[in-house]
Amino acid sequence: MATVNNGDWPSRRDLTTDQQKQELIAIFDCAAALHLNAIFLQVRPMADAFYPSRLEPWSEFLGAKPPDYDPLAFAVAEAHARGLELHAWFNPFRGNPATELRAYNYGRFVWMDPGDPDVQRRALDVITDVVRRYEVDGVHLDDYFYPYPENNADFPDEPTWQTYRGPLSRDAWRRENINRFVRDLYTSVKAIRPSVEVGISPFGIWRPRHPRQVRGLDAYAKIYADSKLWLQQGWVDYLAPQLYWPIAKREQSFPALLHWWSRQDRLGRGIVAGITINRPLNRAEIAQQIQLVRNERQAVGFILFSAHTLMQNTDSIDEALLKVIRN
């Protein structure tokens, strides 16, 4: 459930409290009816909060005024009442125009600098605050670390780079900033509530040619996300690579990438396939993709992106899902 720009919930910024609640309940009822078992709710889309916070402002996507209820507490209660887990989904480094921490205008968005210790500390404080205060079942990050390149421009983090005096190259230093954050996030959450699952949905390709046929964005080199390392070091409880491509697309093959990721899971943490249902080709073969997940030894489930397609039942996706899930 994406909340940024009112993608999945709430559908508009002018909804009343009752309307927001009814929309959320409808999504949860749909998920339960389809025999899904978890909701991933975006609670910090851009240095803001979908719950009362002493650290960050209310999200503008909830409306012009603060809501008169706690959306996250309501979501946890309603999810659990339906036998659904509730995983709190955070964006650690995307900011907004009012962000007071070190941030830069880059491309279409504002990005906080992952190389700034205060930025990392704020993200950790925000996440651990939620883990302490709410009975969430998991903490989840998506694929935004350093931003995806735009207009061939380098990320403007010269000030923090200049303060670094170590032996690493700039690219390796950026990767180490993210590695340190992921490691610290895992240990911090586990120190508070060991039962809370920590998971990340990285870009579906670690590096081109892994496996050999694969081409595409080099997440290791371009957004400085060494997701294979996080999995193999045990800094996540599961990894959910975004495998948003169809089965027959050779250079970004869903089954080839699923199998490659499965083979990287040497600790048996579990691979959860990120599947988009927002694209017609993937909707048409959803049953086949889920069956591939079930047949892959280290794969333990799937995450569907995103909720609005289920609510609209586009191309009868709900019936297709229900049939394959119940088989």
Side-chain angles (χ1 to χ4, degrees):
M1 288 178 60
T3 59
V4 65
N5 296 323
N6 301 97
D8 290 316
W9 178 81
S11 62
R12 303 195 315 270
R13 303 183 193 191
D14 60 351
L15 298 182
T16 66
T17 291
D18 285 344
Q19 289 171 328
Q20 288 184 6
K21 289 181 175 181
Q22 289 306 311
E23 280 195 352
L24 185 138
I25 286 171
I27 294 172
F28 287 7
D29 283 345
C30 178
L34 293 174
H35 298 277
L36 302 174
N37 58 14
I39 299 289
F40 294 79
L41 176 62
Q42 192 175 35
V43 299
R44 192 212 196 201
M46 38 190 279
D48 51 1
F50 266 69
Y51 54 91
S53 172
R54 61 181 176 79
L55 297 170
E56 294 186 308
W58 280 103
S59 176
E60 65 183 62
F61 306 121
L62 285 164
K65 297 180 180 179
D68 57 1
Y69 75 113
D70 183 334
L72 180 52
F74 182 77
V76 170
E78 294 297 324
H80 288 173
R82 290 161 177 79
L84 298 164
E85 294 185 1
L86 196 291
H87 294 242
W89 164 15
F90 300 84
N91 190 308
F93 302 121
R94 185 171 167 188
N96 63 69
T99 297
E100 296 179 355
L101 296 167
R102 190 189 299 272
Y104 312 104
N105 292 313
Y106 179 81
R108 297 164 293 157
F109 304 117
V110 175
W111 289 94
M112 293 180 285
D113 187 344
D116 187 319
D118 290 339
V119 168
Q120 292 211 13
R121 174 47 52 192
R122 172 64 61 80
L124 292 172
D125 286 347
V126 164
I127 295 170
T128 54
D129 176 53
V130 167
V131 172
R132 288 189 180 96
R133 294 168 52 204
Y134 295 91
E135 292 297 315
V136 296
D137 300 285
V139 163
H140 187 77
L141 307 182
D142 57 17
D143 56 322
Y144 289 108
F145 297 99
Y146 281 84
Y148 284 84
E150 293 199 40
N151 302 319
N152 294 316
D154 195 22
F155 186 63
D157 58 354
E158 189 69 19
T160 43
W161 166 243
Q162 289 299 330
T163 65
Y164 174 69
R165 293 292 184 267
L168 299 177
S169 68
R170 192 165 187 169
D171 283 3
W173 167 77
R174 286 173 172 169
R175 268 189 298 277
E176 180 55 27
N177 290 333
I178 303 301
N179 291 341
R180 183 173 61 253
F181 174 77
V182 171
R183 182 183 65 240
D184 291 351
L185 170 66
Y186 190 77
T187 57
S188 298
V189 169
K190 294 300 181 179
I192 299 167
R193 285 178 55 207
S195 63
V196 172
E197 291 190 311
V198 178
I200 300 177
S201 289
F203 184 68
I205 299 170
W206 175 64
R207 304 205 73 178
R209 300 186 180 276
H210 294 80
R212 182 173 298 178
Q213 73 201 62
V214 165
R215 304 291 185 273
L217 178 88
D218 189 339
Y220 176 92
K222 297 299 185 181
I223 60 173
Y224 308 100
D226 191 355
S227 45
K228 185 178 80 164
L229 177 72
W230 313 334
L231 178 66
Q232 295 183 343
Q233 291 294 319
W235 297 341
V236 291
D237 292 309
Y238 66 88
L239 199 72
Q242 296 178 5
L243 306 181
Y244 290 176
W245 301 283
I247 292 170
K249 191 173 177 62
R250 186 179 185 278
E251 293 187 346
Q252 295 90 32
S253 164
F254 178 93
L257 285 163
L258 175 65
H259 184 61
W260 183 86
W261 280 110
S262 180
R263 288 188 290 114
Q264 310 315 307
D265 187 13
R266 299 170 184 171
L267 299 180
R269 292 300 208 186
I271 298 299
V272 178
I275 299 176
T276 180
I277 53 174
N278 295 346
R279 299 174 184 172
L281 283 175
N282 293 74
R283 287 194 296 270
E285 60 183 35
I286 187 66
Q288 295 170 269
Q289 291 192 349
I290 290 176
Q291 194 57 52
L292 286 166
V293 173
R294 288 174 170 168
N295 293 341
E296 189 64 55
R297 186 179 64 178
Q298 296 294 84
V300 297
F302 55 88
I303 298 175
L304 303 175
F305 184 79
S306 66
H308 74 269
T309 298
L310 296 181
M311 298 306 295
Q312 295 166 1
N313 195 18
T314 309
D315 295 334
S316 299
I317 183 68
D318 292 8
E319 288 79 11
L321 275 170
L322 186 59
K323 183 177 180 180
V324 70
I325 289 171
R326 295 179 72 177
N327 284 344

